[in-house]
Amino acid sequence: MKELKIVPASHDGGCCAPKEKPADAGLCACGYELKPEHPCECATTPGPAAPAAHVCGCQPKAEAAALPRFEAVAPPAGPSLMEFGKIAAGAASVGVATELGTMAAKAAPAESCCGQPASAESCYGQPAPVEYDPPGYRRWPFVAGWLSTPIGRVPRVKTVFERPDRLGAVAVRLGIGRGRYRVSPGVYGVGNPGPASPVLVTANYKLSFDVLRCELCGLDVWLLVLDTHGVNVWCAAGKGTFGTRELVDRIRAVGLEKLVSHRTVVVPQLGAPGVAGHAVRKATGFRVVFGPVRARDVGAFLMAGQKATAAMRRVEATAWERFVAGLVEFSNEKKTMALVVTALFVLAGIGADVFSLDRAFQGARLGFGAYLLGFLAGNLLTSAALPWLPGRSFSLKGAVAGAVVGFGVSFFAPGLAGGLGLWLGAVVAGSWYGMNFTGSSVYTSPSGVEKEMRRAIPLQAVGLVLALVLWRLGLGG
């Protein structure tokens, strides 16, 4: 095996700023997160020991870090400390960096120009590799370290949910940063995987990635993350991004045949609509085994020789899971809410006296209250009470939920017509938002959704007009 020799990097414009720019500057490396305020310029310098690859999850940072350039040289006599070779460092001031390979260094304890010590104790009984984040990047918090493999350096991920993960999960549940909540596609390791360890396939939506890794405590497995553009497995399978083509391309791109001795990949059952197992095997030689629906059953599935029970194949949606799915609408509908309250304010204020601020504020307050109750009924009550609400269509279930909660605001209306208008407005809003849940259920179909919308939307439009008329009559003026 060839070994690596450090060649000092050219310093240009400050500490640790390599002159050379990688040929594939649009890619990031496994284990790092890309900061949005910086372009994705990886710190890779060309050389035989630095293959082009994703640096799975990079995050550029403002300060630069020292990154020497590596060249392949013949190995000295004696065994190397790590698969990628032993790094010789002869001076206390030398800074040893890692790039697409975890390096071990022997040097006097000193700080490099990037502020990290040059030696430390390793929990594996060897001198710990001195690791530096590439210039402009920082590591994801879920990366515990690095694994030396035949395909290069692979991040070892934690199997616990930490504070950054919890905060991120709460934010995306509310629709904040949903489109950017992703990790880079590529290979990740859990535990101490080897050539015989199973390969689990998942999406690069970080919430899907987090749920899976946190169910793998005590297991030694590889994770093959597909580029689904930040979409979860089930939805991406329907869209085609979690599909045969992407799986084949990713297996080839990472060189999976060099990483494992077997030829099997485990794909989640909810990804089955997008993956043709026979086509994957024909193109790559890897057999596709469909795993359980839920990540919590993966351990039992692997222990049983990759055999799933009937319970593992059953798709369920609990009341809590349905409730959480509706929370994202609070973020999605912020602009709609602003438009609704503005329109109600204007419509309530206009009258025979040209415009009344008192009437405008009163009408907007009551009208928006009815809309908000319908919003809550359609998004939260409908989803949580889905099995118990009458009817099969989501528009009907949402209308029933809106009718129940709508009484809460109708009692505050100044008159019978106004109260009836507010109640009807809550019914219409509940019906409209109840239909949004079709994409989060387990038993709808595209044709069924289209059929329901063709029937429901005209009725909702008539109900909205009637509700506005009655609400406005109740305000007077």
Side-chain angles (χ1 to χ4, degrees), residues 200 212 215-216 219 221 266 291-292 294-304 312:
L200 306 180
L212 177 58
E215 294 291 345
L216 301 177
L219 300 178
V221 300
V266 178
R294 297 185 177 275
R296 69 180 180 222
D297 294 325
V298 168
F301 171 81
L302 295 176
M303 293 295 291
M312 293 180 186

Side-chain angles (χ1 to χ4, degrees), residues 60 81 433 466:
L81 288 178
Y433 285 109
L466 183 58

Side-chain angles (χ1 to χ4, degrees), residues 255-465:
L256 192 61
E257 71 282 356
K258 302 174 185 176
L259 182 66
V260 294
S261 57
H262 59 83
R263 292 296 179 265
T264 301
V265 292
V266 178
V267 174
Q269 179 178 312
L270 294 183
V275 176
H278 66 282
V280 174
R281 186 164 192 172
K282 181 179 179 181
T284 66
F286 279 84
R287 180 171 67 99
V288 172
V289 173
F290 290 104
V293 169
R294 297 185 177 275
R296 69 180 180 222
D297 294 325
V298 168
F301 171 81
L302 295 176
M303 293 295 291
Q306 299 185 3
K307 302 293 183 182
T309 64
M312 293 180 186
R313 297 293 187 204
R314 183 175 177 81
V315 179
E316 296 179 345
T318 64
W320 172 249
E321 290 169 335
R322 296 193 303 270
F323 179 84
V324 170
L327 293 177
V328 70
E329 294 300 327
F330 281 92
S331 177
N332 293 344
E333 296 298 306
K334 288 184 294 186
K335 292 182 179 178
T336 301
M337 290 181 178
L339 291 174
V340 167
V341 73
T342 301
L344 292 173
F345 182 85
V346 173
L347 290 175
I350 297 174
D353 51 356
V354 183
F355 195 89
S356 170
L357 283 176
D358 290 339
R359 189 172 62 245
F361 280 112
Q362 181 190 26
R365 184 176 66 253
L366 292 172
F368 186 74
Y371 164 81
L372 188 58
L373 286 176
F375 174 90
L376 296 174
N379 286 304
L380 302 183
L381 182 57
T382 299
S383 57
L386 190 69
W388 303 285
L389 291 171
R392 286 185 56 85
S393 68
F394 288 92
S395 57
L396 177 58
K397 291 177 180 291
V400 172
V404 172
V405 303
F407 286 109
V409 72
S410 63
F411 291 113
F412 295 95
L416 180 61
L420 185 59
L422 294 174
W423 176 80
L424 185 56
V427 172
V428 172
S431 177
W432 172 261
Y433 285 109
M435 289 198 304
N436 284 353
F437 195 70
T438 55
S440 303
S441 69
V442 296
Y443 59 85
T444 52
S445 64
S447 59
V449 172
E450 291 176 4
K451 183 178 179 181
E452 177 181 352
M453 292 178 67
R454 285 195 298 269
R455 292 178 176 178
I457 290 178
L459 295 176
Q460 291 167 350
V462 172
L464 177 61
V465 171

Side-chain angles (χ1 to χ4, degrees), residues 199-202 224-228 240-256 264-268 271 274-281 283-284 286-290:
V199 179
L200 306 180
V201 183
T202 188
L224 181 62
V225 178
L226 305 188
D227 185 4
T228 60
T241 52
F242 191 100
T244 304
R245 183 76 269 161
E246 168 61 17
L247 179 55
V248 168
D249 290 345
R250 194 59 52 190
I251 290 174
R252 290 172 174 171
V254 303
L256 192 61
T264 301
V265 292
V266 178
V267 174
V275 176
H278 66 282
V280 174
R281 186 164 192 172
T284 66
F286 279 84
R287 180 171 67 99
V288 172
V289 173
F290 290 104

Side-chain angles (χ1 to χ4, degrees), residues 30-32 56 102 122-124 128-129 131 133 139-147 153-160 162 165 188-192 209 213:
C30 287
Y32 295 94
C56 301
T102 304
S122 169
C123 60
Y124 297 100
E131 297 179 352
D133 295 345
R139 218 187 303 174
W140 274 105
F142 61 75
V143 176
W146 307 94
L147 298 165
R153 189 179 72 163
V154 171
R156 178 193 280 123
V157 300
K158 302 174 185 177
T159 56
V160 293
E162 297 180 323
D165 305 313
Y188 297 78
V190 177
N192 290 288
F209 178 81
R213 67 181 174 85

Side-chain angles (χ1 to χ4, degrees), residues 87-103:
I87 306 302
S93 61
V94 76
V96 183
T98 60
E99 167 150 44
L100 299 175
T102 304
M103 310 299 176

